């Protein structure tokens, strides 16, 4: 069974926390709670091409699922971690599977978001 968008957002959040907790030193206190509002979203009714939107707080970035290229927005310094997560093996395929399920169900949320 494919992963839901909620599971994928949790996976991204854990990935970002793991990478940054290894890098940060004691003086630059890392605050993992800043990623509690991370959200992954897809809107098949609005977007013609397969896209994923990743938002944190007031910032949002969108990526084309076919190419992996950024199509708009910015997450600032955190964007590099998102890009690394998207480049992981299987991530883009899983996101594309979520897109296909949503298209098949005409955007209605099903058991596989």
């Amino acid at each position: 069974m494919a992963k839901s968008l909620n599971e994928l957002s949790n996976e991204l959040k854990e990935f970002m926390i793991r990478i940054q907790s290894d890098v940060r030193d004691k003086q630059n206190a890392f605050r993992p709670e800043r990623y509690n509002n991370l959200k992954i979203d897809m809107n098949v009714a609005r977007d013609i091409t397969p896209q994923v939107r990743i938002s944190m707080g007031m910032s949002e970035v969108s990526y084309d699922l076919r190419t992996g290229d950024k199509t708009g927005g910015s997450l600032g310094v955190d964007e590099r971690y998102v890009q690394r997560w998207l480049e992981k093996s299987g991530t883009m395929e899983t996101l594309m599977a979520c897109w296909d399920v949503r298209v098949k169900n005409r955007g209605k949320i099903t058991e596989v978001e």
Side-chain angles (χ1 to χ4, degrees):
M1 187 166 157
K3 293 181 182 178
S4 69
L5 291 179
N6 187 38
E7 291 170 327
L8 288 168
S9 63
N10 287 332
E11 182 181 300
L12 174 58
K13 179 170 64 170
E14 291 167 7
F15 177 80
M16 293 173 77
I17 290 171
R18 185 175 62 249
I19 287 177
Q20 291 189 49
S21 63
D22 292 342
V23 173
R24 300 289 172 121
D25 59 12
K26 301 276 186 213
Q27 281 185 327
N28 294 334
F30 172 63
R31 296 184 356 249
E33 64 274 3
R34 67 185 283 216
Y35 298 115
N36 286 343
N37 62 354
L38 186 141
K39 183 180 176 187
I40 296 178
D41 186 34
M42 294 177 181
N43 189 337
V44 298
R46 180 179 59 202
D47 300 324
I48 297 169
T49 60
Q51 291 188 25
V52 62
R53 283 187 173 69
I54 301 169
S55 61
M56 287 191 296
M58 294 174 42
S59 302
E60 179 179 274
V61 67
S62 57
Y63 289 92
D64 187 321
L65 292 177
R66 291 177 286 172
T67 62
D69 295 335
K70 182 171 94 166
T71 58
S74 176
L75 292 178
V77 296
D78 293 317
E79 201 169 303
R80 62 183 167 194
Y81 303 118
V82 172
Q83 190 67 39
R84 284 177 62 181
W85 178 73
L86 290 172
E87 292 170 357
K88 280 179 53 179
S89 176
T91 302
M92 292 300 279
E93 293 83 5
T94 304
L95 288 168
M96 195 63 191
C98 288
W99 178 269
D100 291 339
V101 167
R102 285 177 175 256
V103 168
K104 178 181 169 191
N105 293 309
R106 297 186 182 137
K108 296 177 188 168
I109 297 177
T110 63
E111 61 187 57
V112 178
E113 293 184 289

